[in-house]
Amino acid sequence: MSAHATMNETVRASALAASKRTRKAAAAPRTNDPERTMQDILEVATREFAAKGLTGARIDEIAELTRTSKRMIYYYFGSKEGLYVAVLEEAYRRIRQIEGELHLEDLPPEEALRTLVAFTFDYQNANPDFIRLVMNENIHRGEFLAQSQTIQQLNVPAIDAVRAVYERGRAAGVFRDDLDPVDLHMSISALCFFNVSNRYTFSLIFKRDMASPEALAARRASIVDLIVRYVRK
């Protein structure tokens, strides 16, 4: 091999090594901001688990999309299952946090109930990944949700909020006396949940655009009115 060819090979090898170093640096995790890195991982993992479920989601792909590494994800979350539980916790934490900002205690009972139902509808409609995560976890029969004390604690204020609104309504003589707050919470959740979980199949079967602004507004008003009529004395 000539000296010229050897030099060319050396240049190409150096260029390739430099390119690899550049890609590696670009893919390196942001160790200077671990909270931001963890949040980025949770956001991407939420989309992946919602779209593909626990079995279908791949840690390699999550690592690539977040420009981090499998080792870093395992460092923060322990395992793929640990990341999945963390995603569930974050999903429930987000909705409960916003629920707590509604200040239902400042509203008359019926208005508070209308506000809570409308919020549930709006939030679930705007966050279909939350619905898909819940659906996926039901496929696992709640196995991973049961492992999280955090989620169980997060849902206590949700029932307390429904109970407080209901009890104020009873005391004011505007709500009936024979309802269970947990059952009421389930009814609200079920009506709002179905509107997202079954949107595509329902639209196809009945030839309706369930995602149009007009359909959403009409369904929202219907659900709010249905719950209030059910609870009203």
Side-chain angles (χ1 to χ4, degrees):
M1 181 180 292
S2 68
H4 181 70
T6 301
M7 182 176 295
N8 283 342
E9 287 295 327
T10 302
V11 170
R12 280 196 293 269
S14 298
L16 180 60
S19 177
K20 288 181 177 180
R21 287 195 298 271
T22 300
R23 290 197 302 270
K24 185 176 181 181
R30 294 176 290 278
T31 54
N32 61 321
D33 191 355
E35 289 188 8
R36 177 64 182 176
T37 300
M38 290 178 68
Q39 192 59 42
D40 287 348
I41 292 170
L42 285 172
E43 289 176 5
V44 170
T46 294
R47 295 194 296 270
E48 290 295 301
F49 286 128
K52 304 170 185 175
L54 174 60
T55 303
R58 294 287 180 265
I59 293 295
D60 284 329
E61 190 167 352
I62 294 171
E64 181 178 352
L65 290 170
T66 54
R67 296 189 298 112
T68 183
S69 64
K70 288 177 65 175
R71 185 173 67 176
M72 184 62 70
I73 292 174
Y74 289 143
Y75 173 78
Y76 284 131
F77 300 101
S79 64
K80 181 181 181 181
E81 289 76 14
L83 176 59
Y84 175 70
V85 171
V87 163
L88 289 174
E89 290 176 345
E90 182 64 18
Y92 277 97
R93 181 181 294 110
R94 189 175 298 118
I95 186 172
R96 300 311 175 211
Q97 178 183 356
I98 301 174
E99 277 179 350
E101 297 170 357
L102 296 177
H103 300 294
L104 300 175
E105 67 278 4
D106 297 332
L107 302 173
E110 184 172 315
E111 184 180 350
L113 182 59
R114 288 182 177 276
T115 299
L116 178 60
V117 177
F119 161 77
T120 305
F121 182 92
D122 291 341
Y123 185 89
Q124 295 192 3
N125 181 66
N127 294 273
D129 280 354
F130 174 72
I131 303 302
R132 296 187 186 105
L133 286 171
V134 175
M135 292 169 66
N136 281 321
E137 182 56 11
N138 274 285
I139 291 173
H140 293 285
R141 300 175 183 266
E143 173 186 353
F144 297 95
L145 189 147
Q147 298 174 18
S148 173
Q149 289 296 320
T150 298
I151 292 177
Q152 296 177 45
Q153 293 168 1
L154 283 169
N155 284 299
V156 170
I159 299 301
D160 288 345
V162 174
R163 180 180 287 109
V165 170
Y166 173 60
E167 292 299 339
R168 286 199 295 118
R170 286 184 61 198
V174 295
F175 290 165
R176 51 192 280 193
D177 296 323
D178 57 344
L179 296 181
D180 174 17
V182 175
D183 183 72
L184 178 56
H185 174 72
M186 180 182 291
S187 296
I188 295 169
S189 297
L191 287 167
C192 298
F193 191 98
F194 183 93
N195 194 69
V196 180
S197 66
N198 290 52
R199 176 178 298 162
Y200 299 107
T201 53
F202 202 91
S203 295
L204 285 168
I205 292 170
F206 295 101
K207 309 305 179 186
R208 290 188 177 185
D209 182 3
M210 299 295 294
S212 71
E214 296 78 13
L216 289 171
R219 188 62 187 155
R220 182 184 192 266
S222 177
I223 291 173
V224 170
D225 192 52
L226 191 153
I227 291 294
V228 171
R229 285 174 180 267
Y230 172 64
V231 176
R232 190 185 288 153
K233 195 168 186 177

